[in-house]
Amino acid sequence: MKQSSTRMSASAAISICWGIKLVAILVLIVASHAALAAPAEKQVVLTGADRRAATSLNGDWASIVDPYFSGLYSFHHEEKTNGWFLNQKPKPGDSFPIEYDFAKAPKLKVPGDWNTQRDSLFYYEGPMWYERDFTYQPKQHTRTFLHVGAANYRSWFWVNGKKVCEHEGGYTAFNCDITSAVQSGANFVVAAVDNTRREDNVPTLETDWWNYGGLTREISLIELPEQFIDQYDLHLSRTEDSLIEGWVHVTDAQPGTKVEVEIPELAAKTSAIVAENGRAAIHFSVKGLERWSPETPKLYQVTLRSGSDSIEDQMGFRTVEVRGTQILLNGKPVFLRGIAIHAEAPYRTGRAYSDKDAETLLGWAKELGCNYVRLAHYPHDETMLRAADHMGLLVWSENPVYWALQFDNPKVFAKAEQQLDEEIGTLRNHASIILWSMANETPNTAARTQFIETLASHARELDSSRLITAALLVRADGHTKIVDDPLGKALDVIGVNEYIGWYEQHPETADVTDWRIDYQKPVIVSEFGGDAKAGLHGGENDRWTEEYQANIYRHQLGMLNRIQQLRGMSPWILMDFRSPNRPLQGIQDEFNRKGLISDQGQKKQAFYVLQKAYKEKTVGKPE
Ligand code: GCU
């Protein structure tokens, strides 16, 4: 018996040993995962980031093309510990070859896509490394953020070799907390940006625009107090005249933290205490407020304060709502005389990012007679929204849920929701924005409808002061266009894209087309048009000529006037833009030529057809 018990104790001992080993291994795995997954980095969404004092990091950055991403991943596909983010310098006697040197690498301008900066990068899709040095003096009780206006499509950032953040999404701003990584004196920042298209990206593999990669919008350093105002929302109440309501959020706020909001020009000031959720609820009546509108784009300096933090924003106050099939701006029906715009830079082409780009594009829209623009198909740079606020243009801003995403993939939903959070969180106080668009031309499937309905209700939770829309595909039964996409139930305003005269039959078909709209809601025709090469002339039935494009517009405008609940339109598109889908040699040359203006600023005949209709208000129900 003894023996068996001895055997028992031996085998018991062995199994206890294995048990301990197993527990140890489990602990190790959990710990290492925790270490990897631990958010070594923190990033925040900042409302009005462009109103903060900032140290610009724009300019020449060293760049290294890295198609196999060997600077970040070992051939086992693990993240390297000695990646190029260390910015090491090859030196004599190295025990291991350092096979990169930012100091000797060619430069890329930031902001700016890489495709239009170097012929060898025109079609490049893959990882790119950026590096620049900067000197800095950290301040006591101050947090330092690396502000990234946009990086298309995935990006990773290190400061002095320490990972500070990682981001996915090519068109929204984010801010990485680099306080623990930045040092006094000399510093360096390394970024990796990968514009590889993937099926589970947002947008997905195929788009009808160029996949401009890189640090495509401005980069800067922003210093904030340890407790600061990260987001705020101030808007005019729809029900009580001259009542400004909303909230101001303070990060890491101590209980009892006070927030103050002041509009000096109106001699108006209010204060509130931050609640448990970090938000101070704001509502105060103001006298003599001049409402913002396209006719009177009145902006006020609004100062927000909390503790040692303060921010001065420029804000307009207006209301927008739907009543039946009307869109009401400041309580009055409005017709949106618009045009669609891609963020393609006039003249130089490439990703638009500057004040000059915004002034040129929106200046053309004003010249066209617009009171409204559809900024497609992704959130544009904040310079566009600032310009729209100042120039008096209403805006449709769009989340890049474009065509056939993986609507049944929860990870893809999370990406779309994250980008919507960043878009609304950053841009929410621009009076010009009246519509948040959830999507463009998505297939009518149950998974798609569920996906976007959920996004729409999330958008309403984030911002109850604006309208929710999307550009829907429209089916046809003979010469009847039928708007019955189930997604329409989730929208305040129905956007519809149609191409009668270009992708559908002939320009004259519009004369015999009628519409069946299964929703008693306002409708915006969010796209129509056709291609024309500027300077190519012929008969009005000769495709690709200016005359043909103008003919489409003339027949379209007659049809649009017969849509009873039409409340706006944004023909496709203001300016020709680059797209890999458009090779037709001698005509398109990798540009979508539906612009009313060429990428070199040449106005086509259709520009004047639409301009006449807008100036004489012969299209759209009179306001
Ligand atoms: C689609 C799509 C646009 C595209 C346009 C076109 O409607 O929404 O992104 O550029 O048609 O085919 O020109």
Side-chain angles (χ1 to χ4, degrees):
M1 281 299 286
K2 178 103 173 82
Q3 192 180 8
S4 63
S5 68
T6 310
R7 202 177 298 123
M8 269 290 285
S9 62
S11 64
I14 289 167
S15 56
I16 286 166
C17 242
W18 269 113
I20 291 166
K21 262 190 196 160
L22 202 60
V23 168
I25 290 167
L26 276 175
V27 166
L28 203 64
I29 289 171
V30 169
S32 62
H33 267 272
L36 265 182
E41 58 269 13
K42 178 170 167 38
Q43 51 186 284
V44 296
V45 175
L46 287 178
T47 307
D50 65 337
R51 304 293 303 175
R52 291 287 189 174
T55 306
S56 173
L57 293 182
N58 294 344
D60 288 341
W61 288 51
S63 62
I64 300 177
V65 186
D66 184 5
Y68 295 176
F69 227 164
S70 48
L72 183 58
Y73 294 109
S74 68
F75 50 87
H76 299 303
H77 304 294
E78 292 133 13
E79 275 202 25
K80 283 177 170 171
T81 52
N82 63 341
W84 296 358
F85 47 84
L86 294 179
N87 185 20
Q88 290 168 303
K89 300 293 172 210
K91 49 187 186 308
D94 278 342
S95 59
F96 190 82
I98 305 288
E99 299 177 275
Y100 69 98
D101 184 350
F102 283 116
K104 296 203 176 76
K107 304 292 187 203
L108 277 175
K109 289 222 170 301
V110 171
D113 62 275
W114 61 62
N115 312 74
T116 55
Q117 291 194 54
R118 216 181 288 167
D119 289 351
S120 62
L121 297 176
F122 187 64
Y123 294 102
Y124 180 61
E125 292 190 311
M128 172 73 74
W129 289 87
Y130 290 83
E131 186 277 336
R132 70 158 285 167
D133 301 329
F134 65 97
T135 53
Y136 192 66
Q137 298 310 328
K139 297 186 182 70
Q140 289 292 331
H141 309 303
T142 300
R143 292 165 70 173
T144 308
F145 287 88
L146 181 72
H147 172 75
V148 182
N152 188 44
Y153 169 81
R154 282 194 67 191
S155 54
W156 299 254
F157 293 84
W158 297 264
V159 169
N160 301 324
K162 183 175 173 0
K163 180 96 170 284
V164 289
C165 68
E166 185 173 327
H167 183 268
E168 182 168 344
Y171 303 95
T172 46
F174 53 100
N175 305 275
C176 311
D177 190 338
I178 65 170
T179 312
S180 63
V182 77
Q183 60 200 15
S184 175
N187 294 265
F188 64 88
V189 52
V190 173
V193 183
D194 180 3
N195 73 334
T196 303
R197 288 166 298 114
R198 290 186 170 82
E199 183 135 20
D200 64 346
N201 284 3
V202 177
T204 185
L205 279 175
E206 205 199 350
T207 64
D208 188 23
W209 70 83
W210 205 267
N211 180 28
Y212 290 124
L215 296 174
T216 50
R217 296 177 186 165
E218 71 148 28
I219 310 277
S220 63
L221 296 175
I222 294 177
E223 292 175 340
L224 298 170
E226 282 163 342
Q227 288 178 25
F228 60 90
I229 297 168
D230 57 346
Q231 292 198 40
Y232 50 92
D233 177 326
L234 297 173
H235 56 266
L236 212 48
S237 160
R238 284 173 170 161
T239 52
E240 287 183 56
D241 199 26
S242 299
L243 173 69
I244 292 178
E245 59 188 5
W247 46 267
V248 178
H249 184 271
V250 181
T251 54
D252 305 330
Q254 303 302 323
T257 297
K258 184 176 159 191
V259 162
E260 200 174 71
V261 174
E262 182 176 9
I263 308 178
E265 189 179 336
L266 296 175
K269 188 190 278 192
T270 189
S271 63
I273 300 299
V274 171
E276 281 297 304
N277 63 2
R279 284 186 177 185
I282 300 291
H283 50 88
F284 63 120
S285 291
V286 291
K287 287 190 177 44
L289 179 119
E290 186 183 344
R291 290 187 178 216
W292 186 94
S293 74
E295 297 71 29
T296 58
K298 172 67 180 170
L299 298 175
Y300 290 94
Q301 176 203 310
V302 179
T303 304
L304 302 95
R305 298 183 190 91
S306 178
S308 59
D309 192 22
S310 76
I311 180 169
E312 256 182 43
D313 205 340
Q314 286 249 310
M315 297 171 68
F317 295 96
R318 52 105 192 95
T319 59
V320 64
E321 58 204 301
V322 162
R323 190 184 300 153
T325 65
Q326 292 280 11
I327 298 173
L328 305 184
L329 181 71
N330 296 320
K332 290 202 291 286
V334 66
F335 184 82
L336 306 177
R337 297 185 306 279
I339 191 74
I341 299 178
H342 253 303
E344 184 85 49
Y347 306 110
R348 75 167 190 279
T349 73
R351 188 59 65 223
Y353 58 80
S354 69
D355 289 328
K356 181 82 187 111
D357 294 338
E359 281 149 26
T360 303
L361 290 167
L362 298 185
W364 283 337
K366 292 290 274 189
E367 191 184 337
L368 187 57
C370 296
N371 63 352
Y372 160 70
V373 289
R374 176 187 177 195
L375 300 186
H377 281 295
Y378 36 75
H380 285 219
D381 187 90
E382 193 151 19
T383 51
M384 284 290 271
L385 284 311
R386 288 287 169 209
D389 288 348
H390 281 276
M391 296 167 79
L393 284 163
L394 297 159
V395 168
W396 157 315
S397 184
E398 186 155 298
N399 197 21
V401 175
Y402 180 91
W403 288 357
L405 293 192
Q406 285 185 338
F407 290 112
D408 53 1
N409 181 339
K411 289 201 179 92
V412 172
F413 178 81
K415 294 176 186 180
E417 188 177 53
Q418 167 227 318
Q419 293 187 45
L420 186 68
D421 288 344
E422 292 169 343
E423 174 189 16
I424 294 180
T426 305
L427 303 176
R428 63 190 313 139
N429 286 309
H430 288 284
S432 51
I433 299 177
I434 55 168
L435 291 154
W436 296 122
S437 168
M438 298 297 107
N440 179 73
E441 293 195 351
T442 54
N444 177 2
T445 65
R448 176 287 320 238
T449 305
Q450 163 93 43
F451 185 104
I452 300 178
E453 280 177 349
T454 311
L455 269 189
S457 51
H458 182 63
R460 288 196 174 88
E461 278 164 25
L462 290 174
D463 178 2
S464 58
S465 73
R466 290 183 171 86
L467 304 175
I468 305 299
T469 190
L472 306 177
L473 288 165
V474 185
R475 66 191 180 89
D477 175 8
H479 288 319
T480 301
K481 298 294 267 184
I482 300 170
V483 181
D484 62 356
D485 185 325
L487 183 56
K489 279 195 296 295
L491 307 178
D492 299 314
V493 175
I494 309 277
V496 295
N497 292 353
E498 51 88 8
Y499 279 91
I500 296 170
W502 185 254
Y503 296 120
E504 304 165 46
Q505 295 146 52
H506 309 287
E508 297 72 18
T509 311
D511 304 344
V512 295
T513 297
D514 56 39
W515 287 73
R516 194 194 93 195
I517 298 166
D518 289 1
Y519 295 100
Q520 277 308 305
K521 296 183 176 183
V523 168
I524 292 176
V525 171
S526 33
E527 286 183 37
F528 73 82
D531 283 63
K533 178 166 172 64
L536 182 64
H537 294 288
E540 60 182 26
N541 289 311
D542 296 336
R543 271 185 188 274
W544 307 107
T545 63
E546 289 194 33
E547 287 76 8
Y548 188 93
Q549 185 189 44
N551 194 25
I552 290 175
Y553 273 71
R554 273 191 288 273
H555 289 282
Q556 278 276 350
L557 293 173
M559 174 188 72
L560 296 178
N561 266 333
R562 289 186 278 110
I563 301 176
Q564 286 316 304
Q565 59 207 86
L566 183 77
R567 299 292 177 252
M569 52 197 272
S570 51
W572 194 259
I573 187 167
L574 178 69
M575 188 187 88
D576 293 351
F577 61 95
R578 216 174 241 122
S579 169
N581 306 337
R582 312 292 177 171
L584 181 57
Q585 289 66 21
I587 299 270
Q588 294 176 315
D589 299 319
E590 294 174 315
F591 277 86
N592 182 310
R593 295 284 183 204
K594 294 188 182 68
L596 296 177
I597 304 174
S598 78
D599 51 286
Q600 296 310 311
Q602 301 150 288
K603 293 187 178 73
K604 305 171 192 175
Q605 286 178 13
F607 177 93
Y608 302 102
V609 171
L610 186 62
Q611 183 188 50
K612 184 171 184 295
Y614 279 173
K615 299 266 187 198
E616 295 170 4
K617 293 193 179 164
T618 53
V619 66
K621 306 289 166 285
E623 272 102 299

